[in-house]
Amino acid sequence: VPPAACLQPVLDVCAVMLAAAEERHAALEALGAALPAATAQRLRHEFAALADEAAAAGADPPPPPPPHFDQPQLARCTASLVSSAIAAVRERAALLLGCLEQALLLLHQHLDCWAADDGGLPPAQLRELRAVARRG
C-alpha cells in the first residue's frame, strides 16, 4: 500500500480533471443546443475546432463538410461531432472516477491498517491522515 501522502496528488488531479470535464461537458451541451440557430460560418468554425480536438485525442478527424452544404446540413454534421466529443468527455470522466475510486480504496486500506494496530494510530500516521483529510 503506498503512503497516504502519495494519494493526495492523485486525489487533487482527479478533482481538477473532473471539474474540467464537467465544464467541457456543459460547454458541449450548450454548443449542441445552439447549433440550429448558428450561422453557416460559425458551424464551419465549430466543426473545424471539434475535428482538431478529435485529431489531438488520437481519433481520425472527419473530412470537412463540402462547401455547398447549407446551414441545416452543417448543423447536422457539427451535431455529430458534438455528440462524439460529449462521449469522449464522458469516457474520460469515467476513467477519472475509476482512478479516484482506487485512491479512496487505498486510503481506506490505510485506515484499516492503522485501526488494526494495537494502541490506536501512531501520532505520525494520525497527523498524516489528518493532513490528507484536510486537503481532500
Side-chain angles (χ1 to χ4, degrees):
V1 177
C6 293
L7 299 174
Q8 185 61 47
V10 174
L11 296 172
D12 291 343
V13 168
C14 285
V16 169
M17 292 181 74
L18 281 169
E22 186 176 1
E23 289 175 17
R24 182 64 178 144
H25 185 270
L28 288 167
E29 288 285 341
L31 175 61
L35 291 178
T39 64
Q41 181 181 2
R42 178 167 179 228
L43 290 168
R44 287 188 185 281
H45 171 75
E46 295 295 346
F47 184 95
L50 290 167
D52 289 346
E53 185 178 310
D60 290 331
H68 65 275
F69 269 24
D70 60 5
Q71 194 277 347
Q73 291 170 311
L74 289 169
R76 283 191 298 275
C77 290
T78 307
S80 174
L81 285 182
V82 168
S83 294
S84 295
I86 287 173
V89 167
R90 288 179 179 165
E91 185 178 315
R92 284 191 301 273
L95 291 172
L96 287 167
L97 286 173
C99 183
L100 182 61
E101 179 184 25
Q102 290 300 314
L104 290 173
L105 287 172
L106 288 170
L107 188 56
H108 183 70
Q109 285 180 349
H110 275 286
L111 290 172
D112 285 346
C113 289
W114 292 337
D117 289 341
D118 290 338
L121 296 175
Q125 289 179 335
L126 186 57
R127 281 192 303 275
E128 182 181 8
L129 177 61
R130 286 182 179 151
V132 169
R134 271 188 247 114
R135 289 182 289 216

